[in-house]
Amino acid sequence: MHPDDIYALKANADLVAIVERDLGPGRKSGVWVTFCCPFHDDNSPSLGVTNNDRNDAPPIWRCFACGKRGDAISWYKERDGMTFEEAITELGGDPSADNGNGGKPRPPRPKPIPQPQEPPPYDWHLISRDVIRACKDSLWSAKGERALDWLRGRGLSDGIIEDWDLGFNSRGHKVKGQYWLDRGITIPNDIGGRCWGINVRRAKGKPKYRKMSGSKTGLYGADFLHDRQYAFFTEGEFDALLLHQEIHEIAAVVTMGANTNRLCPVTWGRYLLHVPYILAAYDLDKAGRNGLAELMGTSARVKDAPLPPELAGAPVKDITDYYKAHGSLKLWAEFQIKRTQNV
């Protein structure tokens, strides 16, 4: 595209609406709409977004704490990991249009060679062990009573809650004066005896989930893939735990923790290499469809395992909805397995 056309795309973008789709409603403050910044541990809204309606400048975003800033294109690149061309397309442009080179499209940019993911440093792992123990004790104390009831209300048994080391952090604070941990239900991710991260289902605020700083993204439940013929992918940890609880005898269940977390084939491919049938049970919404398409693009073995949009008159969006509508996850999984075998 010609630079003038790219500028026009950025100038005409409703950047506030774009950011609100990712972070939820913001707070109006003069010409700015403010949000908690997703690029650092932010407990008070420090990210400002403005459409610059009162002048001719394009809409911009800026974090007044960590200093990150940009326009609509850079938001898609920074927040969603898109390439420049993908961001242009998302804004309604055509990256292959005349770019001042005689109308010839730019040659495709070579894809970077995937690099293996590494867990956090061992010192962080040791600190995480203390955090997990403290939060687990808190969950089973009077402080965690409401959090424990919430987990049980999602259908999780006490055995699953205990075995997977779920916990509760009663106040947001820095661990060892260095690593921020939000208030909420803690979800450790242990793989091969090493803690890769601690995700927190926050009690309030956006985003709903935020990892303890220093965490890395890993394949939750990867240890259960050994010698399994079937594996189900879900979008989040709670759906994965519930499905594991119901079908662990017939299949493994894993998740990357969110549909925006991409599966690294270099790191996690060896866990999945010998699993002949991989089924994806993602949420029935736009984000779920996008995550499903991304996952299916990693391997021809990945097949869609859709949930019904409703059950007994109740709407179904995810695994937990299906379970709470009194659907049998085991029968559903067995049906999906047979269906996949017959494809």
Side-chain angles (χ1 to χ4, degrees):
M1 291 182 69
H2 192 276
D4 289 346
D5 296 327
I6 295 173
Y7 183 88
L9 273 181
K10 295 188 291 186
N12 293 324
D14 186 347
L15 185 55
V16 171
I18 291 171
V19 174
E20 284 186 332
R21 282 199 296 270
D22 283 339
L23 304 184
R27 182 184 303 167
K28 184 72 173 174
S29 179
V31 299
W32 297 95
V33 180
T34 60
F35 305 83
C36 285
C37 178
F39 303 113
H40 73 284
D41 293 323
D42 188 14
N43 294 310
S44 59
S46 58
L47 176 73
V49 184
T50 175
N51 281 336
N52 277 319
D53 297 327
R54 299 178 184 176
N55 57 48
D56 294 330
I60 59 170
W61 58 273
R62 174 186 178 186
C63 179
F64 294 93
C66 71
K68 279 186 174 288
R69 61 170 65 200
D71 51 34
I73 292 176
S74 62
W75 176 262
Y76 281 123
K77 292 171 66 178
E78 293 279 350
R79 167 68 182 174
D80 300 320
M82 293 186 183
T83 65
F84 178 82
E85 289 78 10
E86 288 170 339
I88 289 290
T89 302
E90 193 71 21
L91 287 170
D94 181 3
S96 65
D98 188 353
N99 57 10
N101 190 29
K104 297 177 181 179
R106 286 181 293 179
R109 183 180 300 173
K111 292 184 177 181
I113 298 173
Q115 299 298 311
Q117 295 173 333
E118 298 289 341
Y122 193 69
D123 287 349
W124 186 94
H125 162 78
L126 294 177
I127 292 171
S128 76
R129 287 292 180 230
D130 293 335
V131 171
I132 292 167
R133 280 193 295 269
C135 291
K136 189 172 181 179
D137 289 343
S138 178
L139 178 66
W140 295 95
S141 72
K143 288 182 180 179
E145 185 175 352
R146 290 179 62 187
L148 186 57
D149 286 344
W150 186 85
L151 289 168
R152 289 167 173 164
R154 291 185 64 101
L156 297 177
S157 69
D158 286 2
I160 286 290
I161 295 169
E162 173 79 22
D163 292 345
W164 288 75
D165 291 333
L166 300 185
F168 176 67
N169 182 44
S170 60
R171 63 180 183 87
H173 67 286
K174 281 190 175 181
V175 179
K176 302 290 187 182
Q178 187 175 2
Y179 302 108
W180 179 260
L181 181 68
D182 278 286
R183 180 178 187 272
I185 295 171
T186 54
I187 314 165
N189 186 7
D190 271 11
I191 305 169
R194 188 76 173 264
C195 185
W196 278 69
I198 300 176
N199 203 5
V200 181
R201 174 45 162 96
R202 305 206 301 163
K204 59 182 179 179
K206 297 286 186 177
K208 288 182 180 180
Y209 294 85
R210 189 153 61 186
K211 290 182 174 66
M212 174 177 160
S213 55
S215 297
K216 298 290 186 69
T217 299
L219 185 60
Y220 189 75
D223 288 346
F224 288 84
L225 289 167
H226 182 65
D227 287 339
R228 302 311 294 265
Q229 191 172 10
Y230 309 102
F232 281 81
F233 269 83
T234 69
E235 275 198 37
E237 294 96 339
F238 290 135
D239 278 348
L241 288 174
L242 182 58
L243 190 56
H244 169 84
Q245 174 181 292
E246 300 299 307
I247 71 165
H248 64 274
E249 294 176 347
I250 60 175
V253 184
V254 293
T255 180
M256 289 302 295
N259 58 53
T260 54
N261 293 335
R262 291 172 169 81
L263 180 74
C264 175
V266 177
T267 304
W268 308 113
R270 63 190 179 94
Y271 285 85
L272 293 160
L273 184 62
H274 301 294
V275 182
Y277 298 101
I278 303 173
L279 301 97
Y282 275 34
D283 292 1
L284 301 178
D285 56 17
K286 181 179 179 181
R289 290 193 297 272
N290 291 340
L292 174 64
E294 179 77 28
L295 182 63
M296 292 180 72
T298 64
S299 171
R301 286 176 294 146
V302 181
K303 307 297 181 184
D304 184 16
L307 292 158
E310 69 173 51
L311 183 66
V316 171
K317 179 192 154 190
D318 55 28
I319 292 289
T320 301
D321 284 347
Y322 186 80
Y323 179 86
K324 292 172 77 172
H326 305 292
S328 169
L329 288 172
K330 185 173 182 181
L331 291 177
W332 167 82
E334 288 173 343
F335 170 78
Q336 295 298 334
I337 288 172
K338 289 179 181 177
R339 175 174 165 267
T340 301
Q341 290 173 334
N342 294 330
V343 171

